[in-house]
Amino acid sequence: MFALVLLFIANLFFISETSLSIVIGTLFLSFSQLLYIYLVMQKIKYPGSSLLLISSLPYICICILVAILIYDATAVEYYLFIIQSILLIFFGGLSLANYFTKYNKLNSQLFASASLLSVAQLLLILESSYSNSGMLKALSTVFLVLGNYIFYQFVLGQDRKQKNIKL
C-alpha cells in the first residue's frame, strides 16, 4: 500500500510539467519501484545472476532505444531516466527470469505487471520529451493502472499460496 501511495504522489507531481516537479515525481517513482522490487524479492526465489542477466536483455534493448530517442532532453531528465532504467531493467529481468524458472499463473501475473509498468514509465518519458498532446500520458495511465492491479493480484496470490503451505 505504501508503494501505491508513493506512486500516487509521483503522478501528482507529473501532472505539473515543470523541471522541479518532474525531478520530485521521479524520486517518488524510484522509491515506489524499490518497494516493488523489495516485495518481489520477499515473495519469490532469486533465479540466479546468469538467468537474471539474460532475462534483462529485452528491457536493456528497449531502454537503450528510448535513451537514444530522448537524448536531446535536458541533462537532469536524462540522468533521471538512466536511474529509472536501471530499476526498470532489474525489475523486468527479475520477473522474466522468474517466469522462465517456473511457468504458472502467479509468475505470469508478475511478468505481465512488470511489462505493463515498464511500458507505462517509458511512455511517460517519451511523452515528456516529445509531445504534449496528452495521448501518451493517458495511455501510460491505463498501463499503470492495469500493471498495478495485476501486481496486486500477484501479491494476493503469493500470500494465499504461503498460507496454504503453512497449513
Side-chain angles (χ1 to χ4, degrees):
M1 289 302 286
F2 186 63
L4 288 175
V5 170
L6 289 176
L7 191 63
F8 176 73
I9 293 170
N11 284 326
L12 289 177
F13 280 105
F14 286 141
I15 290 172
S16 173
E17 294 181 4
T18 64
S19 296
L20 181 62
S21 67
I22 289 174
V23 170
I24 294 171
T26 303
L27 290 175
F28 277 104
L29 184 63
S30 297
F31 289 132
S32 170
Q33 279 183 316
L34 286 172
L35 285 174
Y36 277 14
I37 291 170
Y38 174 76
L39 196 63
V40 168
M41 293 295 286
Q42 293 293 318
K43 302 284 182 191
I44 66 170
K45 182 181 172 189
Y46 183 69
S49 298
S50 59
L51 186 59
L52 180 65
L53 181 64
I54 292 169
S55 299
S56 297
L57 288 176
Y59 294 95
I60 291 171
C61 293
I62 292 170
C63 287
I64 288 173
L65 177 66
V66 173
I68 291 170
L69 289 174
I70 67 162
Y71 184 72
D72 294 335
T74 63
V76 173
E77 289 177 355
Y78 194 73
Y79 291 124
L80 289 173
F81 168 72
I82 298 299
I83 293 169
Q84 284 296 110
S85 294
I86 291 169
L87 293 172
L88 187 139
I89 288 167
F90 184 75
F91 182 57
L94 188 63
S95 68
L96 186 58
N98 192 43
Y99 179 77
F100 285 152
T101 303
K102 186 174 182 184
Y103 175 75
N104 60 23
K105 181 181 176 182
L106 291 175
N107 292 343
S108 299
Q109 287 176 336
L110 177 61
F111 174 61
S113 69
S115 297
L116 288 171
L117 292 172
S118 300
V119 168
Q121 289 178 18
L122 293 175
L123 285 176
L124 190 64
I125 291 166
L126 285 174
E127 196 273 332
S128 69
S129 297
Y130 280 109
S131 74
N132 288 328
S133 67
M135 184 64 174
L136 291 179
K137 191 177 279 190
L139 191 58
S140 173
T141 303
V142 169
F143 285 143
L144 189 69
V145 169
L146 286 173
N148 281 311
Y149 176 74
I150 295 171
F151 186 76
Y152 172 72
Q153 292 296 321
F154 163 76
V155 171
L156 285 179
Q158 284 288 1
D159 286 343
R160 277 189 234 118
K161 181 180 165 184
Q162 289 176 349
K163 285 180 184 178
N164 288 338
I165 291 173
K166 289 180 183 178
L167 289 176

